[in-house]
Amino acid sequence: MVLLGAATLCAAPAADAQLKLGKAVNAISKGVQAMTLTDEQMAAYVKESVDWMDTHNKVCDANDPYTIRLNKLTEGLKDADGIPLNFKVYDVIDVNAFACPDGSVRVFSSLMDIMSDDELLGVIGHEIGHVAKHHSKKAMKNELMTGALRDAVSATGGIAGALSESQLGALGQSLVGAKFSQKQEKEADDYGYEFLKSHGKNPWGMVMAFEKLEGDNSSAKKSSYVQKMFSSHPETQERIKRLSERAAKDKIERPASN
């Protein structure tokens, strides 16, 4: 999925601030036999791709207001079912966020611009849910086995080695734009709700974030994040209704909207 959206509630940075993923290609597999790939080997490939994206995109430093805000919001969010979490902000105009099987969570500055603190935590909780429920792991393993990297993995016998620029781009594209089934989205919603609640955060933020993104008529509506989270309008409404009823049943007060 190609990143398209840009926040319209703040001044847009220069065009070269868009997320850099490298030159993704679709390699044609040439009779490669089916093979296995261990979790450790997959993790090494994913880490290499995340490291590449961290190096080639503008990452907000420790003193940047975006980083300070994110660190404050995610304080205490150390791991998800044993997977250690690490957070960074990409200073790019795309409206997005993603989480990786290794626990890397990347939030884009333009998404932060349109979200309140509670809403942003809702998005983060949902993304962590995909990691904890191993959805992102399955998606990445599928990409490594059947997508543009299959030949590269096969050539090394499944041993993670240095990837080319185009291969890193292909894997990075899959990390950022991974699509999940409606069942997986529901599981991520449920995990994120409990994750936020158990850490003393308000799970209403997830509902409020969904409402804002689903009802947004700006260019952000076209962003890959909105597309991958909300595959159908009726399903979105059902997710909002289900989580709202759950929060009400738990007697959790809904924060004021910004």
Side-chain angles (χ1 to χ4, degrees):
M1 182 180 293
V2 179
L3 296 173
L4 298 173
T8 59
L9 303 186
C10 62
D16 62 0
Q18 291 175 322
L19 182 70
K20 295 179 175 62
L21 286 169
K23 185 180 179 182
V25 297
N26 292 317
I28 300 175
S29 203
K30 300 178 178 65
V32 178
Q33 298 298 313
M35 55 179 290
T36 60
L37 188 68
T38 68
D39 289 346
E40 291 75 18
Q41 291 164 347
M42 183 205 69
Y45 278 114
V46 170
K47 185 178 186 305
E48 190 173 352
S49 183
V50 173
D51 288 347
W52 187 94
M53 286 191 287
D54 285 352
T55 301
H56 289 78
N57 289 285
K58 182 180 178 182
V59 176
C60 296
D61 62 34
N63 296 319
D64 189 283
Y66 284 116
T67 301
I68 293 172
R69 180 188 175 198
L70 183 64
N71 287 343
K72 181 179 179 180
L73 288 176
T74 59
E75 185 177 3
L77 307 184
K78 302 300 182 184
D79 67 88
D81 284 7
I83 302 171
L85 301 172
N86 67 89
F87 300 88
K88 290 183 181 180
V89 180
Y90 285 177
D91 189 7
V92 294
I93 65 174
D94 309 283
V95 177
N96 216 327
F98 66 96
C100 304
D102 68 341
S104 295
V105 182
R106 301 296 179 261
V107 182
F108 295 13
S109 59
S110 290
L111 180 68
M112 296 180 70
D113 287 334
I114 63 172
M115 292 283 161
S116 68
D117 287 353
D118 287 313
E119 291 164 354
L120 187 59
L121 272 173
V123 171
I124 292 170
H126 176 88
E127 290 303 310
I128 290 173
H130 282 306
V131 171
K133 301 300 290 186
H134 304 295
H135 301 155
S136 53
K137 173 181 171 181
K138 292 174 183 176
M140 293 309 98
K141 197 163 190 175
N142 182 66
E143 175 64 24
L144 286 167
M145 295 303 297
T146 64
L149 297 180
R150 181 173 175 177
D151 287 341
V153 175
S154 176
T156 59
I159 300 172
L163 298 178
S164 68
E165 183 95 354
S166 62
Q167 291 163 347
L168 285 167
L171 184 54
Q173 187 72 58
S174 297
L175 287 168
V176 175
K179 293 182 180 179
F180 303 107
S181 68
Q182 290 184 356
K183 178 182 177 182
Q184 289 175 323
E185 294 291 7
K186 180 179 177 180
E187 290 176 348
D189 290 349
D190 288 339
Y191 183 92
Y193 181 99
E194 287 298 333
F195 182 81
L196 294 174
K197 182 181 174 183
S198 67
H199 285 83
K201 311 294 185 180
N202 196 325
W204 268 108
M206 192 178 300
V207 175
M208 295 165 68
F210 289 178
E211 290 173 340
K212 177 171 285 186
L213 290 170
E214 196 271 339
D216 191 356
N217 292 316
S218 71
S219 60
K221 178 77 172 180
K222 302 176 183 178
S223 76
S224 64
Y225 193 73
V226 177
Q227 292 171 9
K228 76 178 181 180
M229 282 189 69
F230 306 134
S231 58
S232 68
H233 182 76
E235 176 66 18
T236 300
Q237 291 301 314
E238 176 57 32
R239 289 166 68 188
I240 290 173
K241 180 175 181 291
R242 189 170 61 86
L243 291 174
S244 297
E245 291 175 346
R246 186 172 180 180
K249 183 178 179 180
D250 288 341
K251 301 185 185 307
I252 300 174
E253 184 177 354
R254 176 174 175 141
S257 300
N258 67 339

